[in-house]
Amino acid sequence: MSAEGPDLLSQLRAQRVAQEAFEPTGEELVHADAEDPDATGARRGRPSVASQLVVLVREHAVELCHDDDGVTYVRYGVAPRVQTWPLESRTTREWMAHLYYMTHGGAPRAQALADATATLAGIARYDGPRRMVYLRTARTPDAVLHDMCDEAWRAVTVTPGGWRVGPAPVIYRRPVAARAVAEPRRGGTVGDVIDRLDLPAATARHVITWVIASILGDAPVPVLELTGPAGSGKTTLMRRIRSMIDPHDADARAAPRSVEDLYVAARHAYVLATDNLSHIGTEMSDALCVLCTGGGYARRTLYTTDEETVLRARRPIIMTGVTPVITAPDLLDRAIAIALAPREDRDRATEDDLERMWTATLPVSMGVIYDLTAAVMRERSATRLASLPRMADYAVTGETLSRICGWPSYAAEYAAHRGELAARGVDSSPVAAALLEEMRTTARYDGTLGGLAQVLARRRADTDGWPRSVRGVADAIRRAAPGLASAGITIAWDPVRHTDGYHVTIHRALEWRP
């Protein structure tokens, strides 16, 4: 060891003794803790910054709670302006940081915020109550509550007797991009709403029915497809529809890239509005079916764990495209398609003028929408349909509204519309199209699936969509069955496998329309 060794060691020991003898002031301690959650204060028996944050939140929060999906929330504010935010949200982190700054004059580090959030989440999940937390619309046994999303945290309460604006009696969560619904005013008529939508009467009836069913929120609503050439007003109409239900900063999104993106979007918006689609793949089409009628999506929580995060939702969906984009039969069976005509140049206006005119009339239009919603709630239980289609609750709502307004039967119009969409599904399936072509000259087929596949293969067009197996042909026919039935083609499947395979019987009705 060099001669400098003992002297240097003595100096280091002296410095350590001096540091341990140093007692910081309260202000110095706060700043030390703010820089490092495990710094001097924690070592001297004082609470860490994370612990101080937990105490502050519990002192200032109205409640820590969780919902049925296990998502944890903090509720804070003074009634009736009590806000509800997920504990993991950016808004909650900012509120916690502000609490700490106002109390200690310092800034907590990210790790302290993360540690405090994890502790608060455990308290909310295991010690806090389970609450029903709603997004935009809520249903109670005797009322529908439509969140206005304003600074006063008010809602429109609609009952069979009418509607009123006031403090929300249920718990809402609000995405940061959500915007306020126009404050409703009384005095309008449904004819005024039709005029302001600037649509043909039959098309406007579809839109108004869809809007009211979405606000009711107690049953699935069909996917709303808006198509038309450039300049036909698809995006403008989509934005107007959304402004009556779920105004949002991103009121016209691009197509989601994955099913996970779709469900993440559903977590942050009540209405999913996708603009300018050109194609919907099979996986996305299946996901839209589930999201339309209600379901969930499970994903891995983190790549370093084997846990799953489940996203559950049921959402109204709007999509636009120049050409029809829904072709899968199962999604067509859950859809309403509106084709818009091109507009003349003399009928056009600037975006600012269109927005100003719509915004000026929206409060009275919303009053009409809530009036009609109350009337549907009052009269719907008395509506009976001869037969119930897919989306039966929606059909009943539409028929009830038509009777209230004196419109033609919505149930009949909806049934005819579904038949037209089912025919579209047949046209988009090469197997179904080949079967229709075969049945033009053959009144009946009774034989094996393998034989049917060979018969149809002779009418096969050059396409990559043709199945590679007999089972694939059978699956394609099953998917297209609603459209084939609307064309008068009846299919009976023999569930018993024979020595030569499965059998199927197909025949066309006497009153067949190809």
Side-chain angles (χ1 to χ4, degrees):
M1 180 179 296
S2 67
E4 296 180 350
D7 292 337
L8 180 59
L9 185 59
S10 299
Q11 293 174 9
L12 291 174
R13 287 174 178 170
Q15 290 177 3
R16 182 167 183 177
V17 170
Q19 289 174 355
E20 291 178 349
F22 174 69
E23 289 289 344
T25 65
E27 182 179 359
E28 291 168 339
L29 184 61
V30 168
H31 285 291
D33 281 357
E35 293 175 0
D36 186 353
D38 298 318
T40 307
R43 292 199 301 268
R44 295 184 180 278
R46 295 173 62 91
S48 66
V49 173
S51 298
Q52 294 178 55
L53 283 167
V54 171
V55 172
L56 283 172
V57 169
R58 300 197 72 180
E59 287 178 350
H60 289 81
V62 174
E63 183 177 64
L64 294 169
C65 60
H66 63 279
D67 63 13
D68 288 339
D69 293 330
V71 179
T72 54
Y73 298 89
V74 59
R75 305 183 63 220
Y76 59 85
V78 178
R81 298 177 61 182
V82 177
Q83 305 183 37
T84 303
W85 297 98
L87 271 167
E88 301 287 346
S89 68
R90 184 185 67 185
T91 302
T92 298
R93 292 194 300 272
E94 292 174 350
W95 176 68
M96 291 168 60
H98 181 257
L99 276 180
Y100 188 86
Y101 175 79
M102 296 302 293
T103 304
H104 298 294
R109 295 185 67 181
Q111 187 58 51
L113 284 169
D115 292 344
T117 299
T119 301
L120 292 166
I123 295 170
R125 179 167 299 183
Y126 297 107
D127 296 335
R130 177 180 295 181
R131 302 294 190 194
M132 292 296 297
V133 181
Y134 298 95
L135 176 64
R136 190 61 84 168
T137 188
R139 189 67 189 262
T140 65
D142 56 355
V144 170
L145 301 111
H146 192 205
D147 184 15
M148 291 189 66
C149 220
D150 61 358
E151 293 185 358
W153 285 71
R154 297 179 300 164
V156 180
T157 300
V158 187
T159 67
W163 57 269
R164 67 183 184 277
V165 178
V170 298
I171 299 175
Y172 288 107
R173 63 177 178 88
R174 290 180 174 176
V176 293
R179 291 297 172 259
V181 175
E183 178 122 12
R185 294 205 304 264
R186 305 181 194 274
T189 67
V190 68
D192 296 333
V193 180
I194 292 176
D195 291 340
R196 290 159 189 162
L197 286 171
D198 194 21
L199 294 171
T203 302
R205 290 197 296 267
H206 274 304
V207 170
I208 293 172
T209 301
W210 195 87
V211 168
I212 290 174
S214 298
I215 291 175
L216 284 169
D218 57 351
V221 298
V223 175
L224 184 60
E225 179 198 68
L226 308 176
T227 60
S232 58
K234 303 181 297 295
T235 303
T236 298
L237 177 59
M238 180 176 68
R239 286 173 171 160
R240 289 181 174 182
I241 295 171
R242 184 164 192 178
S243 69
M244 293 188 281
I245 308 167
D246 183 37
H248 198 275
D249 275 350
D251 55 3
R253 292 174 177 262
R257 295 185 177 181
S258 66
V259 174
E260 180 176 340
D261 289 344
L262 177 70
Y263 273 87
V264 169
R267 178 70 185 169
H268 295 281
Y270 179 65
V271 173
L272 294 187
T274 305
D275 196 25
N276 200 28
L277 272 74
S278 57
H279 172 73
I280 300 177
T282 301
E283 183 181 16
M284 186 62 67
S285 179
D286 292 342
L288 289 169
C289 287
V290 175
L291 188 59
C292 169
T293 53
Y297 170 76
R299 64 176 181 179
R300 192 172 182 178
T301 302
L302 295 171
Y303 289 105
T304 56
T305 71
D306 59 356
E307 295 183 356
E308 279 190 337
T309 295
V310 178
L311 304 175
R312 294 192 300 175
R314 185 181 69 209
R315 296 286 182 264
I317 302 168
I318 315 175
M319 56 183 63
T320 73
V322 174
T323 59
V325 293
I326 302 177
T327 56
D330 49 355
L331 188 55
L332 284 169
D333 205 28
R334 299 170 171 86
I336 290 177
I338 293 177
L340 301 177
R343 293 179 178 271
E344 300 291 338
D345 289 344
R346 63 176 178 271
D347 296 330
R348 299 186 187 279
T350 65
E351 288 290 335
D352 288 343
D353 288 342
L354 289 172
E355 180 66 19
R356 184 168 54 253
M357 289 186 292
W358 176 254
T359 301
T361 59
L362 189 55
V364 175
S365 296
M366 290 308 303
V368 174
I369 292 296
Y370 294 133
D371 286 336
L372 294 174
T373 303
V376 168
M377 294 174 65
R378 187 170 57 249
E379 305 291 339
R380 189 167 54 174
S381 61
T383 302
R384 296 288 183 270
L385 300 182
S387 61
L388 293 175
R390 173 73 66 87
M391 301 287 182
D393 293 277
Y394 177 81
V396 171
T397 295
E399 182 66 18
T400 304
L401 180 63
S402 294
R403 294 177 184 180
I404 292 168
C405 297
W407 297 339
S409 170
Y410 191 81
E413 186 175 355
Y414 183 48
H417 188 76
R418 291 180 68 248
E420 294 172 0
L421 292 182
R424 183 203 292 183
V426 172
D427 294 338
S428 65
S429 168
V431 174
L435 179 58
L436 269 183
E437 187 66 25
E438 176 67 21
M439 298 309 290
R440 291 177 186 274
T441 56
T442 304
R444 181 183 180 91
Y445 174 87
D446 192 348
T448 65
L449 281 174
L452 178 63
Q454 293 178 0
V455 169
L456 298 182
R458 293 196 294 266
R459 299 184 179 276
R460 168 183 174 178
D462 291 333
T463 174
D464 294 333
W466 193 267
R468 298 183 179 182
S469 65
V470 173
R471 180 178 177 179
V473 171
D475 289 344
I477 294 173
R478 286 190 173 94
R479 286 193 295 269
L484 293 169
S486 68
I489 304 297
T490 301
I491 305 172
W493 304 89
D494 188 344
V496 179
R497 179 179 176 84
H498 300 269
T499 55
D500 56 351
Y502 287 101
H503 284 226
V504 62
T505 300
I506 305 174
H507 69 274
R508 57 179 169 87
L510 294 177
E511 298 295 331
W512 182 60
R513 58 179 185 87

